[in-house]
Amino acid sequence: MALVTRKERNDRRMDALLKMEKGWGVGQTINYLVHDYKITRRSANLDVNWASARLVQNLNKHERSDLLAWLLYQSQQVFLKSMETGNYSSACGALNLIHKMGIESGDKKTQNRYHGNYRG
C-alpha cells in the first residue's frame, strides 16, 4: 500500500473540488481521480465527499436572498429559451418553479406545532 503525503491528498481533493465546481458529476469526478491519480475508487469517493462538503460550506456563506434571486433569474432564462424553441412543457415547469419560489414561499407562515396550553 502506497503512502500518500498530505500535500498530494490535498492537491487531489482540490482538483476534485475544481472539477465539481465546473459542473462535473460525482461519477465523472470519481472516474477522473481513479484514472489520473491511480487511486482506488474508495479513496476517490472520500475525496469527492470532501469536495461536496466544501461546496455545501460555500453555499452556507451566501445570503438566502442572493441565492433566491439567482435561482429566479436562471428559471426565467429557462422559461424564455423554452418559449423561443416551442418547448412549452419546460416553460410551464419553469413558471411553476418561479411561482413556488417567489410567491408561495412568501405566503407560508410558520405555524405553531403545539396547540393548547403547552408553553415550552
Side-chain angles (χ1 to χ4, degrees):
M1 180 155 107
L3 294 176
V4 178
T5 64
R6 286 184 184 180
K7 183 183 181 323
E8 289 171 344
R9 182 181 301 127
N10 190 35
D11 291 344
R12 197 172 66 215
R13 288 179 173 179
M14 293 305 291
D15 195 15
L17 180 63
L18 289 174
K19 298 295 183 199
M20 292 182 75
E21 283 178 344
K22 287 182 182 178
W24 284 34
V26 171
Q28 276 182 306
T29 307
I30 288 174
N31 287 337
Y32 166 77
L33 293 175
V34 167
H35 288 50
D36 281 17
Y37 288 96
K38 309 289 188 234
I39 59 174
T40 63
R41 290 190 69 79
R42 182 177 182 270
S43 295
N45 195 18
L46 291 172
D47 294 339
V48 168
N49 286 341
W50 178 87
S52 296
R54 289 290 298 256
L55 287 174
V56 170
Q57 284 177 346
N58 290 340
L59 283 177
N60 288 335
K61 291 179 185 176
H62 294 286
E63 293 286 331
R64 290 179 68 94
S65 59
D66 293 339
L67 288 174
L68 179 63
W70 182 82
L71 284 170
L72 287 170
Y73 176 75
Q74 293 298 322
S75 299
Q76 178 189 12
Q77 294 302 311
V78 168
F79 169 74
L80 293 174
K81 288 184 182 187
S82 298
M83 289 298 287
E84 287 175 3
T85 59
N87 190 353
Y88 300 116
S89 61
S90 179
C92 288
L95 279 179
N96 189 20
L97 182 61
I98 291 170
H99 180 264
K100 284 184 179 180
M101 285 190 302
I103 298 172
E104 285 182 9
S105 65
D107 291 343
K108 289 183 180 176
K109 295 181 181 177
T110 56
Q111 295 178 357
N112 191 0
R113 291 187 201 172
Y114 305 105
H115 304 284
N117 293 330
Y118 179 78
R119 297 174 196 239

